[in-house]
Amino acid sequence: MTEPVRLYLVRHGQARAADGSYGHDTPLSPLGRQQAEAVAEGFADVSLAAVYASPMRRARETAEPLAHSTGLHVQLDDRLAEFEFAGWDPEEEVQAGDWAWRPEDTGTPGGETLQAFAQRVADACDDIVTPHEGEAIAVVSHSGAGDAILRWAMGIPADSPWFHEFDLPNAAIVELLVWPRGRHPAGPPRYTAIRYAPRLDHLPESLRSDT
């Protein structure tokens, strides 16, 4: 029997831009920076083998304190980037399922479809977990990408409609056990146990935020 990968999925801390925009280069807010430090402290008792992150600034800045505290470097993967919405306002509770839920739906005119988004995130997950059997790793990404990762974990095909969402507040941690080659010879070729979804015990009440 193979050893599972202990996969920790982390949503980035709160992000805010001075001009009100929200995109690839939006930085963490002062609260978000505190949340990122709290995330790093939350892994004090975990021996991580690798830290992966979306290339978007808010994810990179969340991953950096964790990488620094563990002596690792942040491995960026473009496939972990967030699904793009046109004119999305972080002050509003807008998720893909509110208006884009079919696999052919896009968040911007002529943009990436939900199916393509789900597939690229799934491909990233396959490539990330495969070399880490028996090890613990962290993946820092986004709310929508977190949804896609959990859909991958449950074996939901990329071409399936999005009938639900996972509630992942800023700086939340989800712990998964993933057997990339299956848990049992007679079982499915990949198997995942969702242990904690989401964990917030590393965040004091003053650092908890939904947007």
Side-chain angles (χ1 to χ4, degrees):
M1 187 167 112
T2 62
E3 290 295 317
V5 179
R6 193 174 297 273
L7 171 60
Y8 293 93
L9 167 62
V10 181
R11 186 186 174 194
H12 64 78
Q14 185 192 73
R16 292 290 185 273
D19 64 359
S21 63
Y22 197 82
H24 286 253
D25 202 42
T26 303
L28 293 181
S29 67
L31 173 60
R33 289 193 291 272
Q34 293 180 66
Q35 291 172 333
E37 294 291 344
V39 166
E41 293 172 7
F43 281 91
D45 297 326
V46 179
S47 180
L48 290 175
V51 177
Y52 295 89
S54 156
M56 291 183 169
R57 183 174 175 180
R58 56 192 184 273
R60 297 196 320 266
E61 292 183 350
T62 302
E64 284 164 1
L66 177 57
H68 178 75
S69 69
T70 56
L72 300 167
H73 71 279
V74 181
Q75 300 184 55
L76 301 180
D77 192 319
D78 291 345
R79 297 171 297 179
L80 296 173
E82 183 62 300
F83 185 68
E84 187 173 354
F85 288 100
W88 186 74
D89 184 347
E91 298 293 345
E92 297 179 359
E93 287 297 318
V94 178
Q95 300 293 332
D98 290 335
W99 55 273
W101 58 274
R102 305 169 192 83
E104 67 272 18
D105 285 345
T106 65
T108 60
E112 180 181 41
T113 65
L114 277 175
Q115 180 175 345
F117 167 62
Q119 188 61 59
R120 70 163 160 87
V121 173
D123 290 343
C125 291
D126 285 335
D127 291 342
I128 286 170
V129 301
T130 298
H132 291 293
E133 287 188 20
E135 297 179 328
I137 61 174
V139 172
V140 183
S141 62
H142 310 267
S143 177
D147 281 351
I149 291 171
L150 287 166
R151 284 167 60 92
W152 163 84
M154 295 189 300
I156 299 176
D159 60 356
S160 295
W162 293 56
F163 288 149
H164 61 272
E165 66 182 80
F166 297 94
D167 186 12
L168 299 177
N170 288 127
I173 299 173
V174 176
E175 182 180 350
L176 309 174
L177 294 180
V178 182
W179 286 261
R181 295 184 290 145
R183 190 173 183 178
H184 189 277
R190 176 173 53 79
Y191 191 86
T192 303
I194 301 176
R195 301 199 67 194
Y196 302 103
R199 266 185 50 203
L200 294 172
D201 56 340
H202 57 291
L203 293 176
E205 287 292 336
S206 61
L207 296 185
R208 297 188 184 185
S209 167
D210 292 334
T211 59

